[in-house]
């Protein structure tokens, strides 16, 4: 997801067009979904203690991340259909999608790090 944020930053500073940024992000979907599957798989292999609040919060973050990813695919299709025309509604939707995604990714990673450190 950081690459998607980078592509938007490049567009914001005028070094690419909106259509180029959206096309680049569209190509990242497979990589992003692979990362999510890896996160879920590694979390399952670590056999989390579902009785703990942190494990349940992390599962909640991963669920929100998955749902956010599904709606992000719809957003991507809408942005492609806009053919590079700047639409404030789509940009706001994209900003919210990014904030939710980053919050979930970093939250889940932070919880995993803290949990692993506590076990050591």
């Amino acid at each position: 997801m950081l690459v998607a944020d980078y592509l938007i930053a490049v567009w914001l500073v005028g070094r690419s067009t909106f259509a180029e940024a959206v096309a680049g992000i569209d190509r990242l979907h497979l990589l992003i979904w692979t990362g999510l599957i890896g996160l879920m798989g590694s979390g399952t292999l670590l056999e989390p203690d579902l009785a703990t609040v942190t494990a349940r919060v992390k599962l909640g973050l991963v669920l929100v991340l998955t749902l956010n990813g599904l709606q992000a695919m719809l957003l991507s299709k809408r942005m492609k259909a806009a053919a590079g025309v700047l639409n404030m509604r789509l940009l706001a939707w994209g900003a919210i999608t990014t904030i939710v995604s980053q919050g979930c990714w970093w939250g889940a990673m932070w919880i995993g790090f803290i949990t692993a450190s506590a076990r050591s």
Side-chain angles (χ1 to χ4, degrees), residues 2 44 55 57 79 83 87 94 96-97 101 107 113:
L2 292 174
T44 301
V57 169
M79 285 184 162
N87 179 330
I96 292 167
T97 298
S101 181
F113 176 74

Side-chain angles (χ1 to χ4, degrees), residues 7-8 17-27 75-76 79-80:
L7 292 172
I8 292 299
T17 66
F18 183 66
E20 290 170 337
V22 170
I25 292 168
D26 192 49
R27 290 189 297 268
L75 171 62
S76 181
M79 285 184 162
K80 281 176 75 174

Side-chain angles (χ1 to χ4, degrees), residues 40-51:
M40 291 172 23
S42 65
T44 301
L45 291 174
L46 293 172
E47 299 175 0
D49 180 5
L50 298 179

Side-chain angles (χ1 to χ4, degrees), residues 1-70:
M1 191 64 192
L2 292 174
V3 175
D5 295 343
Y6 169 77
L7 292 172
I8 292 299
V10 169
W11 166 69
L12 286 172
V13 298
R15 299 199 43 138
S16 76
T17 66
F18 183 66
E20 290 170 337
V22 170
I25 292 168
D26 192 49
R27 290 189 297 268
L28 293 172
H29 283 294
L30 178 61
L31 180 63
I32 292 168
W33 282 107
T34 302
L36 178 59
I37 291 167
L39 179 68
M40 291 172 23
S42 65
T44 301
L45 291 174
L46 293 172
E47 299 175 0
D49 180 5
L50 298 179
T52 65
V53 173
T54 54
R56 290 192 305 252
V57 169
K58 186 173 181 178
L59 284 174
L61 288 171
V62 172
L63 174 63
V64 171
L65 183 64
T66 302
L67 296 173
N68 190 56
L70 292 172

Side-chain angles (χ1 to χ4, degrees), residues 81-100:
V85 176
L86 189 59
N87 179 330
M88 294 310 281
R89 181 175 170 267
L90 289 177
L91 288 176
W93 184 1
I96 292 167
T97 298
T98 299
I99 290 167
V100 169

